[in-house]
Amino acid sequence: MDSYLNIKKIALIGFGEVGQIFAQGLLPFVDQVKVWDVKFSGVDLVLEEQEKIKNFKLYASNTLANACSGADLIISAVTASNTLQVAQAISLCVEPGCYFLDLNSASPSTKQAASTLINDQGGIYVEAGVMTSVPPYGIAVPILLGGSRAHTLAEVLLSWGMDVRVVSEDVGRASAIKMCRSVMIKGLEALVIESYVTARHYGVEDFMIPTLQETFPGIDWEKQGSYFFSRVVQHGKRRAEEMREAAVTVKDAGFTPSMSSATADKHDWIAKKAREGIFKDLTKLSSWQSYADCLLDMNDNYLYKK
């Protein structure tokens, strides 16, 4: 580890699910974690957010610049569509020698553009590809890193109990791995939702799902289906934005992103229905059948009402 790299103050930008987990998980290893989110309007934080900040023993900043001031490490944990915008804003206030860890699910080209913004102002950009859902793992979620100084930061993160691995000194490769995986995983979520709801409409789910079990015996298709439905309902908007970035990744490779774009549309649609409140009586522990019934109840031609 470089002798000068001594991370004592962290600025965490984005206080959603991932930001909250990382803020709480990293606080024991440093002197201070400042957090900022677009939800923090001036000095008036939403009451619910105030309680989260208080419970986590964090310092809430009313501006992004205030959060980044004096930071040794800035972590960006915003939605995919805001990746470049946040990097642009931070480039205006990042201090020389400050590391910038970009956790966002964005395309290689987006990460490369963000890297240029940060590095040109004296910051040290490190890209991160978060390779699975964060909540089950906390800060120990598997993460791939990229960047010319990624190895230096990786040593610190490993000492904090994080599961990081440097895959390249070039920015873009870690994100390419992440995006290619997302085409599969988010695509499978979209396929399961479309397949299961349609099977429920025709009343054939008890016949169809066992055929999946027979073909892919390593997957519990009932349990996995329920998990996919709950995650997309909870995070459909974020997943759709990620898939728009996956589509950019495919397009940059010279191919038409038909599947990625369709997956983004499906996640967007579910997110819209969630905002309309059709799943309001369900929880993350609800069965996939309950989620499917909420969607089917919107249709007059639902053949097999349960």
Side-chain angles (χ1 to χ4, degrees):
M1 185 189 309
D2 291 350
S3 59
Y4 63 83
L5 183 54
N6 185 24
I7 297 176
K8 292 298 184 182
K9 295 182 179 181
I10 293 176
L12 203 148
I13 310 305
F15 201 58
E17 180 184 52
V18 172
Q20 291 169 31
I21 290 171
F22 272 80
Q24 188 176 29
L26 295 178
L27 185 58
F29 303 102
V30 295
D31 293 339
Q32 183 184 74
V33 176
K34 289 184 181 180
V35 298
W36 180 85
D37 193 283
V38 69
K39 294 177 292 189
F40 299 175
S41 177
V43 296
D44 297 322
L45 303 183
V46 178
L47 182 60
E48 181 182 353
E49 302 301 331
Q50 286 179 319
E51 287 302 312
K52 290 176 183 176
I53 299 294
K54 178 181 176 181
N55 292 339
F56 289 174
K57 299 181 180 179
L58 304 171
Y59 180 85
S61 298
N62 58 2
T63 67
L64 185 146
N66 177 267
C68 296
S69 177
D72 304 304
L73 170 65
I74 299 171
I75 300 176
S76 180
V78 299
T79 57
S81 64
N82 289 310
T83 299
L84 198 56
Q85 180 182 353
V86 166
Q88 172 70 59
I90 290 175
S91 72
L92 301 178
C93 58
V94 65
E95 297 177 5
C98 178
Y99 276 76
F100 180 97
L101 182 63
D102 193 340
L103 293 179
N104 305 312
S105 298
S107 68
S109 59
T110 297
K111 290 289 185 86
Q112 289 162 356
S115 174
T116 298
L117 288 168
I118 298 300
N119 290 339
D120 282 354
Q121 298 303 315
I124 303 170
Y125 183 93
V126 177
E127 74 162 329
V130 181
M131 298 309 293
T132 190
S133 182
V134 173
Y137 296 89
I139 64 169
V141 63
I143 297 176
L144 303 181
L145 301 180
S148 62
R149 303 279 283 278
H151 283 285
T152 301
L153 182 61
E155 291 190 35
V156 178
L157 302 183
L158 287 168
S159 74
W160 292 346
M162 294 179 64
D163 180 6
V164 299
R165 179 163 66 96
V166 179
V167 295
S168 178
E169 292 187 356
D170 298 321
V171 171
R173 296 180 70 86
S175 297
I177 297 169
K178 163 70 174 178
M179 290 292 99
C180 291
R181 180 183 186 276
S182 294
V183 173
M184 289 293 295
I185 300 301
K186 271 61 177 184
L188 184 58
E189 290 174 345
L191 287 171
V192 164
I193 289 173
E194 188 161 302
S195 172
Y196 282 31
V197 172
T198 303
R200 187 102 168 135
H201 166 81
Y202 286 106
V204 298
E205 65 270 27
D206 292 340
F207 299 92
M208 186 276 291
I209 292 179
T211 70
L212 297 178
Q213 201 67 55
E214 182 179 0
T215 305
F216 302 99
I219 300 175
D220 183 336
W221 287 95
E222 286 282 345
K223 183 178 179 181
Q224 197 66 54
S226 296
Y227 178 73
F228 281 168
F229 270 84
S230 68
R231 292 300 289 176
V232 176
V233 166
Q234 186 179 5
H235 300 295
K237 183 178 184 296
R238 188 175 75 193
R239 279 163 149 70
E241 290 186 9
E242 179 177 328
M243 288 313 298
R244 302 291 181 206
E245 287 292 313
V248 171
T249 305
V250 174
K251 187 175 181 181
D252 286 346
F255 301 101
T256 302
S258 306
M259 301 302 293
S260 299
S261 296
T263 299
D265 290 342
K266 179 64 74 174
H267 284 257
D268 253 342
W269 181 73
I270 293 294
K272 180 175 182 292
K273 297 306 173 187
R275 291 193 297 273
E276 292 172 357
I278 74 167
F279 307 109
K280 60 181 175 61
D281 296 325
L282 303 184
T283 72
K284 64 181 181 180
L285 299 179
S286 297
S287 68
W288 74 261
Q289 290 91 339
S290 297
Y291 284 104
D293 286 346
C294 289
L295 294 170
L296 291 168
D297 284 343
M298 300 184 306
N299 300 330
D300 293 333
N301 63 341
Y302 181 8
L303 298 182
Y304 297 94
K305 291 275 189 179
K306 300 297 180 182

